[in-house]
Amino acid sequence: MKIQKDSAVTLRYKVTDAATQKPIDEGRAPMVYLHGGYDNTFPKIEAALEGKETGFQATLNLQPEDAFGARDESLVRTIPKSEFPPGVKVGGQLEGRNDQGEPQVFTVMKIKGPQVILDGNHPLAGKALKFSLTVTGVRAATEEEIAHRHVHGEHGHHH
């Protein structure tokens, strides 16, 4: 079966930083996504896999705008440490609000005396990434998966 809209696609993958070649995600568990513009993976990955079959292999270089986007320095915040509960640690994440009042996840980047520096960017924002992909399965998605806009079952979404 060829990968087309409403296909459930299973991939083995590995992600590395394109600049440093440092591994980011070894892909220990397969990735399963619903193909066809459901925002379950990056559009450049979908485009490269369209019409392919089980066994297809590819290495894709995605620029930041094709992956997690450019860094947005307006998402870096400095907050008084007194506004945090005790035990705030570098690397911790918390939900706050962005300038539009929408929920935003922030990562604690640094604690500098009485101040905490938070970053609302995705940790991979601003990075060019190399994806090594192998298609290990393709099947027609179920009506329920299409209605829910994601794959169910093993390695897919669980309700």
Side-chain angles (χ1 to χ4, degrees), residues 8-10 29-34 40 139 145 150-159:
V9 180
T10 304
M31 175 182 138
V32 182
Y33 79 95
L34 182 59
N40 291 172
R139 66 169 173 79
E145 289 171 327
H150 57 249
V151 175
H152 293 164
E154 188 178 13
H155 306 298
H157 184 84
H158 300 279
H159 288 275

Side-chain angles (χ1 to χ4, degrees), residues 33-128:
Y33 79 95
L34 182 59
H35 189 86
Y38 294 100
D39 296 326
N40 291 172
T41 192
F42 299 121
K44 291 258 174 153
I45 291 176
E46 280 206 352
L49 297 180
E50 180 72 29
K52 305 302 189 250
E53 298 178 356
T54 299
F56 176 78
Q57 295 182 339
T59 299
L60 305 174
N61 291 302
L62 272 59
Q63 293 304 307
E65 59 273 13
D66 298 323
F68 293 98
R71 281 193 52 78
D72 180 352
E73 294 308 318
S74 74
L75 294 176
V76 177
R77 307 273 160 77
T78 301
I79 309 287
K81 190 174 179 183
S82 60
E83 291 185 21
F84 288 89
V88 64
K89 290 185 173 30
V90 171
Q93 292 188 323
L94 56 107
E95 189 172 305
R97 301 255 172 216
N98 63 19
D99 292 337
Q100 291 75 40
E102 301 159 338
Q104 176 83 40
V105 174
F106 289 88
T107 301
V108 177
M109 300 306 292
K110 194 182 288 185
I111 300 172
K112 211 166 147 180
Q115 296 182 321
V116 177
I117 299 167
L118 303 173
D119 189 347
N121 286 287
H122 186 283
L124 298 177
K127 292 187 182 285

